[in-house]
């Protein structure tokens, strides 16, 4: 699987988790909070470390700048979600906000960024998609530790 296909698959995985959320019983939602956080932090790590630096050479700067801002917003919401995962009303409100940000992000990225990156040589990213995912998995673990320690009271 090439890197662009991987990113699109990660988008579909996130959509599936939000769909599962809507149908999950309350006792399963704390675990889904963790799965959402892990999935989205892995995706963010891949984009921020490997995709966006390369994308800046073929995509207008404002698109990438906006995507980075959305990642910041997602990170903040994920920290809130992890802290509120056992507080049903806060958890529900946070997931709704997070889903809106993620949906906007995925739509913009699939419309404006990924089609332009498909035209690039796979070597432009410096690593294979498998190597990027392995490296991003380590970054995700660190990001999850940071999210859990920075969650607001």
């Amino acid at each position: 699987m090439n890197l662009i296909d991987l990113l699109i698959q990660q988008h579909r995985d996130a959509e599936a988790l939000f769909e599962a959320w809507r149908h999950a019983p309350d006792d399963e939602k704390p675990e889904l909070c963790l799965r959402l956080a892990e999935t989205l932090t892995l995706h963010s790590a891949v984009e921020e470390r490997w995709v966006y630096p390369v994308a800046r050479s073929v995509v207008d700067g404002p698109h990438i700048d906006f995507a980075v801002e959305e990642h910041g917003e997602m990170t903040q919401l994920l920290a809130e979600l992890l802290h509120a995962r056992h507080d049903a009303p806060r958890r529900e409100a946070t997931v709704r906000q997070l889903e809106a940000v993620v949906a906007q992000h995925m739509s913009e990225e699939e419309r404006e960024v990924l089609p332009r990156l498909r035209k690039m040589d796979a070597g432009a990213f410096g690593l294979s998609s498998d190597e990027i995912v392995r490296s991003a998995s380590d970054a995700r673990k660190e990001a999850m530790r940071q999210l859990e320690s920075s969650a607001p009271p």
Side-chain angles (χ1 to χ4, degrees):
M1 175 180 297
N2 71 38
L3 184 57
I4 305 311
D5 291 336
L6 171 71
L7 294 172
I8 291 170
Q9 181 57 53
Q10 288 177 334
H11 289 176
R12 300 298 80 82
D13 293 346
E15 289 170 340
L17 283 171
F18 284 117
E19 182 66 21
W21 177 273
R22 284 189 284 283
H23 301 288
D26 282 345
D27 64 329
E28 291 179 14
K29 289 187 174 184
E31 177 62 28
L32 278 171
C33 290
L34 293 173
R35 289 181 55 203
L36 275 166
E38 289 172 348
T39 297
L40 293 172
T41 55
L42 176 63
H43 182 71
S44 291
V46 169
E47 290 183 339
E48 290 172 9
R49 291 182 182 213
W50 290 278
V51 177
Y52 292 164
V54 172
R56 286 188 185 281
S57 68
V58 294
V59 179
D60 298 338
H63 288 297
I64 302 303
D65 293 340
F66 186 64
V68 171
E69 287 177 29
E70 288 173 328
H71 278 207
E73 190 174 354
M74 284 188 292
T75 299
Q76 179 184 1
L77 288 167
L78 287 169
E80 290 174 25
L81 181 61
L82 289 176
H83 184 73
R85 70 180 178 257
H86 297 290
D87 178 346
R90 284 181 57 204
R91 180 181 67 209
E92 296 298 323
T94 304
V95 167
R96 281 192 302 276
Q97 287 178 293
L98 180 63
E99 185 174 19
V101 170
V102 169
Q104 166 66 30
H105 175 77
M106 291 185 310
S107 174
E108 175 81 9
E109 197 167 81
E110 289 183 23
R111 190 177 58 252
E112 300 293 334
V113 177
L114 299 182
R116 294 178 190 172
L117 292 178
R118 256 199 208 286
K119 299 173 185 172
M120 296 184 75
D121 181 276
F125 298 102
L127 299 171
S128 73
S129 57
D130 287 343
E131 292 169 322
I132 288 172
V133 168
R134 274 193 298 277
S135 185
S137 292
D138 293 337
R140 179 198 47 82
K141 290 173 190 169
E142 178 58 30
M144 286 294 293
R145 280 193 290 275
Q146 289 176 359
L147 281 173
E148 289 175 329
S149 67
S150 69

